[in-house]
Amino acid sequence: MFRMRKFILIISILFVSYLSNAQSKLGLKFSPTISSNRVALVDSTYDVTSDGSNGTFSVGLIYDHEITETYFFSTGLIFVPKKTSFLVSGEEDTTSLPAGQSPRESYKLQYLQVPVSLKLFTNEVMPDGRVFFQVGTALEFLVNNEPEKEDYTLVKDFRGVDFSVLLGGGFEYRAGINTTLFAEVSYQRGLINQVKALREDFQEELFIRSNVIMIDLGIKF
């Protein structure tokens, strides 16, 4: 974990150094976020289901580099907290769970995300206002994870990286010569199993993949 944090720090320094020399738009965004999970268990004895959605907030730095007037390369460095929650039951009821196993478990995960995407802008739909669509991917580095309660012990460790497909659409308004406001709704679908290791006496294979919906509100300079 220390090596991973050191690697992320170096990447962050290089990223900010690169942005300081760029001529394109640099900005900040604040995003109310809804996170949920797609859960599957390879086993005939137990049943695992997602425990609904959870609300969080993400914040970060974004960078849009103009390729043409309507095509932009977009990246950034975003702090994205997620919550992984699921319910475990036996064939008939929770009494058939392993000793000490809680029927509901929830874990707090915190990621640093590096999105890589293409933004496609329309012509102005109103004075200084344009609609845009975004498509790309997002690489995420896990910086912290912890169970919501101490008796949540099924998942012993989570993978250090996640990778998602990113789709979105929004509206951008030029509020001044060097100031642009934007709002966007985006969806991120995780492709990697978040679980690295389960409790030793739980022999089944558990798959958890993330779903994230963000409402991005931000400003670019």
Side-chain angles (χ1 to χ4, degrees), residues 132-165:
F132 67 89
F133 302 93
Q134 184 175 17
V135 58
T137 60
L139 181 62
E140 299 176 335
F141 300 93
L142 183 65
V143 294
N144 187 50
N145 72 85
E146 59 183 24
E148 195 172 61
K149 293 184 179 180
E150 292 184 1
D151 59 347
Y152 295 163
T153 60
L154 178 58
V155 180
K156 301 301 293 184
D157 197 12
F158 289 88
R159 297 190 189 279
V161 296
D162 198 0
F163 184 78
S164 302
V165 173

Side-chain angles (χ1 to χ4, degrees), residues 88-165:
V88 183
S89 60
E91 291 180 323
E92 298 181 356
D93 53 44
T94 58
T95 59
S96 58
L97 294 176
Q101 173 65 51
S102 171
R104 177 187 183 275
E105 299 212 355
S106 182
Y107 300 82
K108 297 178 181 178
L109 309 178
Q110 296 177 342
Y111 292 89
L112 280 180
Q113 181 187 92
V114 181
V116 177
S117 65
L118 185 67
K119 286 184 178 178
L120 312 174
F121 285 82
T122 66
N123 295 323
E124 290 188 354
V125 296
M126 59 176 288
D128 297 321
R130 298 192 296 176
V131 173
F132 67 89
F133 302 93
Q134 184 175 17
V135 58
T137 60
L139 181 62
E140 299 176 335
F141 300 93
L142 183 65
V143 294
N144 187 50
N145 72 85
E146 59 183 24
E148 195 172 61
K149 293 184 179 180
E150 292 184 1
D151 59 347
Y152 295 163
T153 60
L154 178 58
V155 180
K156 301 301 293 184
D157 197 12
F158 289 88
R159 297 190 189 279
V161 296
D162 198 0
F163 184 78
S164 302
V165 173

Side-chain angles (χ1 to χ4, degrees), residues 6-201:
K6 185 177 180 180
F7 171 76
I8 293 172
L9 178 60
I10 293 173
I11 292 296
S12 301
I13 293 173
L14 293 175
F15 177 74
V16 173
S17 177
Y18 169 73
L19 294 182
S20 66
N21 295 320
Q23 300 300 318
S24 296
K25 293 286 186 177
L26 181 66
L28 298 171
K29 75 170 186 175
F30 173 78
S31 307
T33 301
I34 299 174
S35 66
S36 60
N37 305 102
R38 309 188 312 279
V39 180
L41 181 67
V42 181
D43 181 62
S44 59
T45 304
Y46 303 103
D47 185 33
V48 176
T49 57
S50 175
D51 191 29
S53 303
N54 299 278
T56 60
F57 295 93
S58 67
V59 63
L61 182 73
I62 62 169
Y63 170 69
D64 287 351
H65 179 76
E66 182 177 351
I67 301 173
T68 69
E69 187 176 348
T70 56
Y71 291 83
F72 282 73
F73 167 78
S74 182
T75 185
L77 188 64
I78 317 295
F79 173 72
V80 182
K82 300 180 185 181
K83 186 179 288 187
T84 293
S85 301
F86 53 87
L87 297 170
V88 183
S89 60
E91 291 180 323
E92 298 181 356
D93 53 44
T94 58
T95 59
S96 58
L97 294 176
Q101 173 65 51
S102 171
R104 177 187 183 275
E105 299 212 355
S106 182
Y107 300 82
K108 297 178 181 178
L109 309 178
Q110 296 177 342
Y111 292 89
L112 280 180
Q113 181 187 92
V114 181
V116 177
S117 65
L118 185 67
K119 286 184 178 178
L120 312 174
F121 285 82
T122 66
N123 295 323
E124 290 188 354
V125 296
M126 59 176 288
D128 297 321
R130 298 192 296 176
V131 173
F132 67 89
F133 302 93
Q134 184 175 17
V135 58
T137 60
L139 181 62
E140 299 176 335
F141 300 93
L142 183 65
V143 294
N144 187 50
N145 72 85
E146 59 183 24
E148 195 172 61
K149 293 184 179 180
E150 292 184 1
D151 59 347
Y152 295 163
T153 60
L154 178 58
V155 180
K156 301 301 293 184
D157 197 12
F158 289 88
R159 297 190 189 279
V161 296
D162 198 0
F163 184 78
S164 302
V165 173
L166 187 159
L167 299 171
F171 181 77
E172 184 175 282
Y173 176 73
R174 189 174 62 188
I177 297 177
N178 297 313
T179 303
T180 302
L181 306 177
F182 68 90
E184 179 185 12
V185 177
S186 62
Y187 170 68
Q188 299 176 15
R189 185 178 180 85
L191 303 179
I192 296 178
N193 183 17
Q194 294 176 300
V195 177
K196 182 178 180 181
L198 296 172
R199 198 173 67 184
E200 289 78 5
D201 62 345

